[in-house]
Amino acid sequence: MLMANLALPRYWAVYGLLLQVLLFLLYQPALSIASSLLFALLLTFQAWRLYQNKPALSNRQINTLLAPLLLLMLLQVRQLGVLNLMLHILLLAAVARSLTVQQRGQGLQLLWVHYFAIACCFIFYQQMSMAILIFALALLNLYLQYRLFAPAESTLQPKRLLSIFALSFPLWLGMFLLFPRLPPLWQLPNQNMASTGLGDELDPGSIEKLVQSDALAFRVSFLNERPDKADWYWRAKVYEDFDGRRWQVNARFNSRQRRAMATELPAFSASAPLVKYQILAESSYQTDLFSLGLPVSWPANLVAKPAALMASQTPLTQRISYSLQSRLQPIPLASPAEKQLNLLQDTANPQARAFGAALATQFPAQPDKVVQALSAYFQQEPFFYTLTPPRLGQNAIDQFLYETRSGFCSHYASATAVVLRAAGIPARVVGGYLGGNWQENQQYLQVRQRDAHAWVEYLTASGWQRYDPTAAIAPERILEGIEQTLSDNERALLSGWQDNWLGQLALQWSHLDYVWSVWVLGFNQQDQEQLWQRLRRWEYWSVLLYSLGALLLLGAAVMLRQWVRQRADHAHQAWRWLTQALGTAPAAGCTLSSWLTTLAEQNPAQQQALERLRKLYEAAVFNDDAAALRLLRRELRLQRRSLRRLARQRKSA
Amino acid sequence: MMFKASKDWFKRKFAAWLAKRQPAATQVELTQSVIYILPSRFGWWFVFLIALLYLMGTNYQNNLILLLSFMLLSLLMVTMLLAFLNMHQLKLSVKQDARCFAPERAQLPLGLSSKSCQMLHIGLRGQRQRQLVESLSQQQRFALVLPTLSRGYYPLPRLELSSTFPLGLFRCWSYPALTSAIWVYPEAIEQLHANTERLAEQASKQTTPHALLEPDDVKSYQAGDSPKRILWRKLASAPEQPVVRSYGGEASPLPHWIKIPALQGAALESVLSHACFQLLALEQQGHSYGLQTQSVTLAPAKGALHLERCLQELALC
């Protein structure tokens, strides 16, 4: 093609470089330090080349440069992971190609790779601000594409752009809302990142660390009545194995049998209050999700784990939104094995276990009484709730119960579970989040890592009862949230900057981000089906369709009329009528007018009528006079008989 | 073999279909029924990209990637419309034939007009060579350079107008046919034999300039005579036989006859080249001349029109 050989202007390459620098910055989470340096070097070289106006590299030069770099990257595959390696190669392809581009035809591959690389940014970033930036990059790439195919001196016309936008935006939106969505077809490599949130192990100090983070954990909007604040215990993990110091998640949560178990719905009592809610969970690189009480209905893409926990099938690499329905009731016992598992004791902490045994003899087979006694114990003895507890040694529980007596929720929860097990009551520690910030204007609950919490579940005849020992020591933790519970000094430990105007701005932005997450990121197959159903149920469809049909018919009629008119313009029509009425047509080379004149001369009887016809014909055809055409038609109708007679005479002659 | 035969068959059928659909005319407007549009190669790559992004968005369950793929898809659709509108209502007109002497390339003057058309490629259908009109607004004259042809007469083949504006995703094209022809006259080469010498001799005799001569005689009109010399008063009485003033000096020269013998191949070409040179020389010197070929005899006359007729006859030999 001729156009493909046109030279590219310099500013094209400069814009391309800008785009690549931004891509390079966006790709930072995927790049190792060595490759970061390498790309920086390549981009600097390109900038220098453009500044100095040096010619582009030849294909051969770039290949000799690329081969070792590619090898270098392939050697890092272990360290990088497949996804990161792919991103490396993509970026390398883009940067290397831009070093060789000189003519318009060569820019196409570069643009294609750019589009793909830009789309890959969304694997890391889904926040609204980043999404806007990435879409802006896509538009810049689109502009570069336009430049490849447009005349060199043409400029973008705002009016034209607006009309293009007006055309494409409804299409875009419509496709996003209505284009069929599929479940994941196959597993793609994902980002290897450290997981955030509660871990699979619960150390005496692990929650304190988590609480110092201001990061968002998840957001909830309630679809029916909001439950009482005291019930906002978001369960995420259940710890059942205890080694004397540290609690761990039992292996049964990670076993492959959980799918089989998930199919049976738990027995729930219909009298317990039902909560319907939607959760928008931030990416945690874990599979565990959050739920209230006993979930009774969940979307198909989630997995129900033992102990009524919810999980996703793959680690959360991006925000997901899911809707649940829960009964606020004790969780039923799954099997006798579960009971046995939660009675296991360790040899450590003799004092705590003796305390439990004493409680058991005091209240035999009365778990609720034992728990009450324990609560009373915590309240009567000088126990403190603090974010900075002293370090504990070997018999951590004994030390906490009888020496330091100050700790955070995990200390109280694990001590309680140990004492209850010693008293012969099956008990386990539950990790999750408590409460959250209710956003009144936006009507959603914001739960941050700061709200991480641990509590206990113990088994009674009706199931696993929730017991939160922290409530005995620091009831305001449950009612007000963590900030109110801590002293001023400790509060300073929480990275808090919510009070100034910047904090307010950040909060507003986070609300906007929430709307974005719910409507854009959270829009899934389920929502789409609902949308389709709602569209189908719309009662005015028939009206719309009928009126559309009527409009179409009307349009077709108008077009048909126009077509008929065009087909039969005056000359044609007049010709057809006259020749039909007279039974013959004039000989070739003879005009209709002169033919009529000769006819009039030959037939003196009809001379006047024929002369009149001729005049009307001439007016209709040569003067384009519609009135004359109508008159001609009337005249022909009036003279029908005499003309037919004339035709017969001519035939017989 | 089979493949080639069927390909030829399809080509013929397609040409016949085109001829029926778009007969040649002096003015052609590109309307919806004669504009064809399909994705370009890059367009197909773009479709592939969209499919890839859709798959990636689905597998990562990432709405933003899906959003980007739908954005590109909606752009693809809008681009289809824009690419069509770019070519729509483009008018092409031709007023005269293309003429040239043998080794040169003929140029066909075309009139183009459009509301706004960018990056239009113009060429002949089936030929590689294309010319680019970057931006066309309102009316514009355009000289279409035709490929090198050997001596002869060629009807103008179908043109091919195409454009990939605005994003290169779609190629929009049309095959308009214009009623025009290409005349390639023989190359004018002077060849030194007896003929030429005689001609030079004759030319040297006529040194007296016309302006000095008085009109002293009348003769009958010959094609190519200046209308200024026509005796208008006599024309009224005998309109079929115009009479012109004759000057003594030029009454004598006999009309030159250029004869093309029955030859073939290279010999014929060389004779034609020489004849062409002679015709041009005679016309330049103001002589009247006649041409006799194997099939046609053109009576002696002069003037640009006569020259053209003679040259056309040479081209047809």
Side-chain angles (χ1 to χ4, degrees):
Chain A
M1 286 289 267
L2 197 58
M3 192 169 63
N5 302 332
L6 293 180
L8 273 173
R10 210 168 98 185
Y11 72 85
W12 197 90
V14 173
Y15 284 159
L17 179 66
L18 174 74
L19 197 145
Q20 289 186 349
V21 168
L22 286 172
L23 264 184
F24 165 67
L25 292 178
L26 283 170
Y27 269 36
Q28 281 309 312
L31 301 180
S32 61
I33 297 174
S35 15
S36 255
L37 278 173
L38 191 89
F39 281 119
L41 210 68
L42 281 175
L43 288 172
T44 321
F45 173 67
Q46 166 79 337
W48 173 81
R49 187 179 75 78
L50 290 177
Y51 182 71
Q52 299 275 323
N53 233 343
K54 297 261 183 211
L57 298 186
S58 68
N59 275 344
R60 202 172 153 173
Q61 279 171 321
I62 204 74
N63 285 345
T64 47
L65 183 69
L66 268 189
L69 294 185
L70 207 60
L71 207 67
L72 213 69
M73 280 173 189
L74 283 173
L75 285 178
Q76 295 183 55
V77 64
R78 272 280 171 73
Q79 190 190 341
L80 289 173
V82 178
L83 176 71
N84 284 353
L85 183 73
M86 189 194 89
L87 295 175
H88 270 79
I89 291 173
L90 209 58
L91 196 60
L92 188 67
V95 173
R97 190 71 187 132
S98 71
L99 288 172
T100 62
V101 170
Q102 223 167 1
Q103 293 177 342
R104 290 195 182 197
Q106 298 167 328
L108 290 175
Q109 292 162 343
L110 179 65
L111 290 179
W112 198 92
V113 174
H114 274 174
Y115 277 123
F116 201 78
I118 289 169
C120 284
C121 289
F122 287 126
I123 297 176
F124 309 107
Y125 306 100
Q126 282 123 35
Q127 305 95 309
M128 191 167 59
S129 48
M130 285 316 228
I132 290 172
L133 175 72
I134 294 167
F135 271 106
L137 278 190
L139 287 181
L140 176 61
N141 203 38
L142 190 69
Y143 175 70
L144 291 181
Q145 188 181 344
Y146 169 76
R147 277 276 152 241
L148 281 189
F149 292 98
E153 72 281 0
S154 81
T155 50
L156 290 177
Q157 293 151 320
K159 221 167 146 186
R160 216 177 144 77
L161 282 181
L162 209 67
S163 65
I164 291 172
F165 180 76
L167 266 176
S168 57
F169 188 73
L171 272 176
W172 186 21
L173 203 69
M175 277 191 276
F176 179 69
L177 291 178
L178 302 176
F179 198 87
R181 269 150 203 273
L182 303 171
L185 302 175
W186 65 82
Q187 193 64 48
L188 282 176
N190 242 319
Q191 195 60 14
N192 304 321
M193 296 267 268
S195 61
T196 57
L198 290 163
D200 280 355
E201 287 186 0
L202 191 71
D203 274 335
S206 59
I207 289 196
E208 288 93 309
K209 264 182 253 151
L210 196 56
V211 158
Q212 292 179 20
S213 154
D214 201 28
L216 197 64
F218 57 96
R219 291 181 272 207
V220 191
S221 51
F222 293 102
L223 306 176
N224 63 353
E225 207 182 330
R226 182 152 45 108
D228 194 32
K229 196 170 180 184
D231 282 327
W232 292 351
Y233 279 88
W234 305 101
R235 302 170 83 241
K237 289 193 189 246
V238 168
Y239 303 96
E240 291 175 317
D241 293 349
F242 184 60
D243 67 350
R245 177 184 165 81
R246 169 184 303 132
W247 288 87
Q248 269 188 321
V249 170
N250 187 268
R252 68 186 174 121
F253 285 95
N254 300 323
S255 75
R256 293 189 175 272
Q257 294 162 5
R258 68 179 192 218
R259 260 158 226 236
M261 293 170 75
T263 50
E264 53 197 75
L265 205 67
F268 58 88
S269 71
S271 61
L274 180 73
V275 189
K276 297 179 184 174
Y277 52 102
Q278 189 180 26
I279 293 188
L280 182 76
E282 297 292 304
S283 59
S284 61
Y285 301 96
Q286 297 198 44
T287 56
D288 297 281
L289 298 175
F290 318 100
S291 56
L292 277 182
L294 179 69
V296 289
S297 148
W298 55 85
N301 58 341
L302 298 194
V303 186
K305 292 218 285 188
L309 291 179
M310 302 304 311
S312 72
Q313 282 164 353
T314 54
L316 295 192
T317 52
Q318 59 195 34
R319 280 179 189 168
I320 71 157
S321 116
Y322 56 96
S323 313
L324 290 179
Q325 294 184 16
S326 288
R327 296 271 175 192
L328 296 181
Q329 65 163 75
I331 284 114
L333 180 68
S335 62
E338 189 180 42
K339 186 174 172 179
Q340 288 309 312
L341 182 68
N342 286 296
L343 277 171
L344 288 179
Q345 295 188 56
D346 197 72
T347 50
N349 305 308
Q351 279 177 293
R353 281 166 42 223
F355 177 51
L359 284 173
T361 49
Q362 201 179 342
F363 308 104
Q366 286 172 301
D368 294 328
K369 285 275 166 57
V370 174
V371 166
Q372 274 172 24
L374 203 57
S375 272
Y377 177 74
F378 282 136
Q379 277 166 355
Q380 283 153 15
E381 302 295 321
F383 277 97
F384 292 101
Y385 184 68
T386 172
L387 194 55
T388 49
R391 293 180 68 83
L392 300 173
Q394 198 55 46
N395 289 322
I397 305 295
D398 280 3
Q399 219 178 342
F400 165 67
L401 278 178
Y402 301 105
E403 288 170 32
T404 64
R405 293 196 165 170
S406 56
F408 205 59
C409 52
S410 52
H411 295 83
Y412 291 96
S414 62
T416 306
V418 167
V419 172
L420 288 179
R421 283 190 179 185
I425 303 166
R428 60 193 183 192
V429 174
V430 182
Y433 296 83
L434 170 60
N437 281 347
W438 178 253
Q439 308 292 328
E440 189 58 45
N441 293 335
Q442 288 75 27
Q443 293 289 310
Y444 71 85
L445 184 72
Q446 191 182 44
V447 181
R448 286 173 293 178
Q449 297 297 353
R450 167 171 311 172
D451 300 309
H453 193 57
W455 60 95
V456 173
E457 278 176 357
Y458 65 97
L459 190 67
T460 63
S462 59
W464 292 96
Q465 303 288 341
R466 182 179 71 220
Y467 168 58
D468 188 357
T470 313
I473 299 105
E476 62 277 13
R477 164 72 185 91
I478 287 96
L479 297 175
E480 308 284 343
I482 182 108
E483 284 92 340
Q484 269 59 43
T485 321
L486 301 173
S487 67
D488 287 346
N489 283 345
E490 284 181 332
R491 215 177 297 163
L493 282 174
L494 309 177
S495 55
W497 46 290
Q498 286 82 16
D499 296 339
N500 53 16
W501 63 271
L502 212 64
Q504 285 299 317
L505 208 68
L507 194 66
Q508 289 305 321
W509 182 258
S510 119
H511 294 328
L512 214 61
D513 197 40
Y514 176 70
V515 174
W516 163 259
S517 309
V518 170
W519 290 105
V520 181
L521 301 184
F523 187 80
N524 54 22
Q525 235 174 314
Q526 232 178 326
D527 296 327
Q528 194 178 39
E529 271 162 32
Q530 277 175 10
L531 185 72
W532 271 114
Q533 276 170 9
R534 215 179 304 164
L535 277 180
R536 252 179 249 137
R537 254 180 282 146
W538 193 49
E539 46 199 311
Y540 298 110
W541 271 125
S542 52
V543 179
L544 188 74
L545 281 180
Y546 280 130
S547 45
L548 264 181
L551 270 177
L552 267 178
L553 272 180
L554 204 74
V558 167
M559 268 168 77
L560 196 72
R561 208 179 132 93
Q562 206 122 17
W563 182 68
V564 166
R565 266 203 196 156
Q566 258 175 15
R567 225 179 113 80
D569 56 290
H570 292 172
H572 255 101
Q573 232 161 11
W575 172 278
R576 226 179 41 234
W577 290 340
L578 276 167
T579 48
Q580 264 172 17
L582 289 166
T584 45
C590 177
T591 68
L592 197 72
S593 290
S594 61
W595 182 59
L596 282 173
T597 316
T598 28
L599 269 184
E601 277 166 14
Q602 286 164 3
N603 303 281
Q606 268 92 29
Q607 192 171 15
Q608 276 190 341
L610 284 169
E611 276 298 309
R612 224 177 11 255
L613 283 178
R614 185 181 61 82
K615 275 182 188 150
L616 282 174
Y617 170 77
E618 283 173 357
V621 173
F622 301 113
N623 208 16
D624 219 10
D625 187 351
L629 192 71
R630 273 198 299 279
L631 278 176
L632 176 70
R633 190 167 197 189
R634 225 180 72 193
E635 191 70 31
L636 279 172
R637 211 173 293 150
L638 287 174
Q639 305 283 333
R640 196 167 59 236
R641 288 216 186 117
S642 53
L643 288 176
R644 207 174 295 155
R645 208 175 312 129
L646 183 70
R648 239 176 288 138
Q649 277 170 14
R650 280 171 54 75
K651 225 168 253 171
S652 61
Chain B
M1 268 315 200
M2 273 286 284
F3 176 70
K4 196 172 180 297
S6 58
K7 199 174 154 191
D8 281 349
W9 183 82
F10 272 114
K11 263 189 182 167
R12 267 203 315 278
K13 280 277 161 197
F14 184 62
W17 180 76
L18 268 180
K20 210 173 132 192
R21 191 179 173 80
Q22 275 175 273
T26 51
Q27 190 176 20
V28 176
E29 182 177 351
L30 302 190
T31 56
Q32 182 207 344
S33 52
V34 298
I35 296 178
Y36 312 103
I37 183 165
L38 272 181
S40 62
R41 215 161 88 157
F42 184 60
W44 286 117
W45 275 102
F46 201 77
V47 170
F48 177 59
L49 173 78
I50 291 171
L52 218 57
L53 289 185
Y54 179 76
L55 276 182
M56 193 161 90
T58 300
N59 274 346
Y60 279 111
Q61 290 287 295
N62 189 319
N63 271 351
L64 293 176
I65 298 178
L66 286 180
L67 210 59
L68 185 68
S69 95
F70 291 141
M71 183 178 101
L72 297 183
L73 188 58
S74 64
L75 271 169
L76 186 79
M77 291 180 187
V78 173
T79 309
M80 178 162 54
L81 187 69
L82 292 177
F84 167 74
L85 288 180
N86 186 43
M87 294 272 284
H88 191 52
Q89 290 184 334
L90 180 83
K91 288 191 194 74
L92 263 176
S93 61
V94 66
K95 289 225 173 70
Q96 63 194 66
D97 293 349
R99 311 181 198 94
C100 71
F101 290 92
E104 298 166 16
R105 310 174 76 175
Q107 292 199 351
L108 181 67
L110 289 176
L112 295 177
S113 90
S114 166
K115 264 181 273 168
S116 114
C117 179
Q118 325 257 340
M119 290 308 212
L120 184 70
H121 287 86
I122 305 182
L124 295 180
R125 182 163 128 74
Q127 297 274 337
R128 278 200 88 107
Q129 187 205 331
R130 291 280 174 281
Q131 278 166 277
L132 179 67
V133 181
E134 285 215 354
S135 180
L136 173 65
S137 56
Q138 311 307 316
Q139 289 201 317
Q140 197 170 316
R141 297 212 63 77
F142 175 78
L144 178 66
V145 179
L146 300 166
T148 319
L149 294 167
S150 54
R151 176 187 69 83
Y153 162 83
Y154 305 87
L156 184 70
R158 272 182 189 275
L159 301 186
E160 182 179 317
L161 306 187
S162 69
S163 170
T164 53
F165 184 82
L167 290 180
L169 300 177
F170 284 92
R171 183 168 169 271
C172 200
W173 77 99
S174 182
Y175 297 127
L178 291 171
T179 38
S180 184
I182 309 166
W183 292 99
V184 183
Y185 305 141
E187 190 180 3
I189 305 173
E190 184 180 12
Q191 269 147 8
L192 293 172
H193 32 81
N195 231 347
T196 331
E197 283 155 28
R198 209 193 71 209
L199 202 75
E201 222 171 87
Q202 281 182 350
S204 64
K205 277 183 194 163
Q206 312 212 323
T207 43
T208 21
H210 300 164
L212 296 178
L213 293 167
E214 286 298 311
D216 50 4
D217 202 358
V218 292
K219 61 164 192 152
S220 64
Y221 174 82
Q222 256 188 331
D225 278 337
S226 169
K228 281 182 198 160
R229 296 194 199 162
I230 293 174
L231 289 173
W232 295 101
R233 253 174 289 163
K234 295 230 168 151
L235 193 67
S237 56
E240 265 80 60
Q241 291 168 308
V243 176
V244 291
R245 282 187 206 97
S246 163
Y247 297 89
E250 61 176 351
S252 55
L254 288 167
H256 298 275
W257 277 98
I258 294 168
K259 291 183 185 156
I260 308 296
L263 288 169
Q264 269 184 341
L268 177 68
E269 292 305 320
S270 108
V271 168
L272 287 175
S273 288
H274 183 67
C276 179
F277 173 78
Q278 280 180 311
L279 284 175
L280 292 175
L282 287 168
E283 177 61 30
Q284 206 182 8
Q285 289 154 8
H287 298 295
S288 62
Y289 48 87
L291 178 71
Q292 193 179 12
T293 68
Q294 291 307 300
S295 50
V296 196
T297 305
L298 292 178
K302 54 187 170 183
L305 219 62
H306 181 65
L307 177 68
E308 196 182 322
R309 275 211 68 193
C310 293
L311 287 173
Q312 285 182 353
E313 285 306 328
L314 289 190
L316 288 173
C317 268

